[in-house]
Amino acid sequence: MQVPALAHVDATFAAGEATAIMGPSGSGKSTLLHVAALLDPPSSGSVWLDATCLSAADGSGLGDDARSNFRLRRLGFVHQTYPMVVSLTPLENVMLPAEYAGVRRADARARALDLLARVGLSARADRDVRTLSGGERQRVAIARALVNRPAVVFADEPTAALDSVTGEQVLDVLFAEARASGAALLVATHDPNVAARADHLLRLSGGRIA
Ligand SMILES: Nc1ncnc2c1ncn2[C@@H]1O[C@H](COP(=O)(O)OP(=O)(O)OP(=O)(O)O)[C@@H](O)[C@H]1O
Ligand SMILES: [Mg+2]
């Protein structure tokens, strides 16, 4: 038997505005982020950016290559567990998506250094990633998600693994940088502090807007 993780969820997210997605465990928050970020295909419905259909159950969205390319260049995703390439420095981790997108190495480096400065990690740019704290890694992950100047930034419980002070610092950075770059920000969270900062609140319950 198939049980839809989301049903009848119709939502619009505006440039430069932040939306907190809240709801009980299993209510579909991560599923919504994954479908909207083109990481999972919808089994019905569609995902649009401006006038472009990105992903649709009827196959009318972007093809595989175009979708990957779009994700790389226009979408940033901050995962809960902030995976890093441990053989690369924080600076190199942040540069990576820009280099994949064809940005010249010197330009990618300049962008990455600027972002690391804005997240307060200039002094850690060349450290071994494994020596960074959880909050520091999460800030590297935010810089990496922003390096290609995405139109939409997604974050799935970005503060869940952090103490409250570090969580607040990470949220300061995430919200400020998304707003400064004019990106739409979608944050799935159980944290009321996130909801308090957001422009909009989308509540899910049992896969539906509550
Ligand atoms: N890959 C999968 N296969 C089958 N069911 C899944 C899969 N991923 C999620 N689900 C189910 O879809 C529903 C929504 O899950 P989702 O991960 O979106 O919830 P969530 O709101 O992010 O929860 P949490 O707060 O625990 O992270 C749940 O019932 C979950 O068990
Ligand atoms: Mg989740």
Side-chain angles (χ1 to χ4, degrees), residues 132-157:
L132 299 183
S133 73
E136 289 168 343
R137 285 187 196 210
Q138 188 61 300
R139 284 183 279 156
V140 174
I142 290 168
R144 187 175 56 184
L146 292 167
V147 73
N148 283 331
R149 300 171 181 145
V152 191
V153 178
F154 302 88
D156 197 351
E157 308 208 19

Side-chain angles (χ1 to χ4, degrees), residues 29-31 80 156-157 188:
K29 302 181 298 296
S30 295
T31 304
Q80 182 175 345
D156 197 351
E157 308 208 19

